[in-house]
Amino acid sequence: MTTTWAPRALSVLRIMAGLLFMAHGTQKLLGFPASGDGAGGPLPTMMLIAGSIELVAGALIAIGLFTRPAAFLASGLMAFAYFIAHAPQNFFPVNNGGDAAILYCFVFLYLVFAGPGEWSLDALRNRDAGRARTV
C-alpha cells in the first residue's frame, strides 16, 4: 500500500511546497498577502530577483512542470538566502529565522532527485511522449 501512495504523497509535498513558496513571491512582487512589517516602496534588485524566482519557480513546482530545474533553482535561491540574510545574524537557525529557508532548500533539493510524483504535468507529458513513440 505504501508503494501505491508514495508517488502521490510526493506530489502533495511538491504541490504544497510550491504554493507556499509562490506566496513569498506574490508577497514581494504583488503585496499579497499584505506584509505586517509595513514596508512599502520599490524593492531592492535582489528582492525583485528573489520574488520573481519564488513566484515563477513556485508556480512551476506546484503544477509539476519542469519540476527538476525549477526545484534546483529554488533550492539554490534558498541556500543563498540563508547564508546572505540569516546565517550572519546568529549561528542557530531557530534563532536567526532561517529554518524555513533551510527546509525549503532541502525539500526542493529532494524534488530535484525524486521528481514531481504521479500527479504532475511532467508525468502527464512523459506518458504522452511514451504513447507517441509506440504509435
Side-chain angles (χ1 to χ4, degrees), residues 22-37 39-41 43 51 55:
M22 192 172 70
H24 289 276
T26 61
Q27 187 175 52
K28 285 179 184 75
L29 299 176
L30 307 174
F32 180 80
S35 175
D37 65 10
L43 288 174
L55 182 63

Side-chain angles (χ1 to χ4, degrees), residues 12-91:
V12 172
L13 173 68
R14 174 189 46 79
I15 291 165
M16 291 310 302
L19 289 173
L20 290 169
F21 194 61
M22 192 172 70
H24 289 276
T26 61
Q27 187 175 52
K28 285 179 184 75
L29 299 176
L30 307 174
F32 180 80
S35 175
D37 65 10
L43 288 174
T45 303
M46 197 166 11
M47 293 293 275
L48 281 171
I49 292 168
S52 298
I53 292 171
E54 288 165 350
L55 182 63
V56 174
L60 289 172
I61 291 167
I63 64 174
L65 182 63
F66 306 117
T67 305
R68 291 174 196 265
F72 182 77
L73 180 62
S75 177
L77 175 67
M78 288 295 92
F80 181 77
Y82 180 78
F83 287 108
I84 294 297
H86 299 284
Q89 295 178 29
N90 190 291
F91 178 78

Side-chain angles (χ1 to χ4, degrees), residues 112-126:
V112 170
F113 294 98
E118 186 176 311
W119 298 328
S120 68
L121 291 179
D122 285 339
L124 184 63
R125 287 179 38 225
N126 288 339

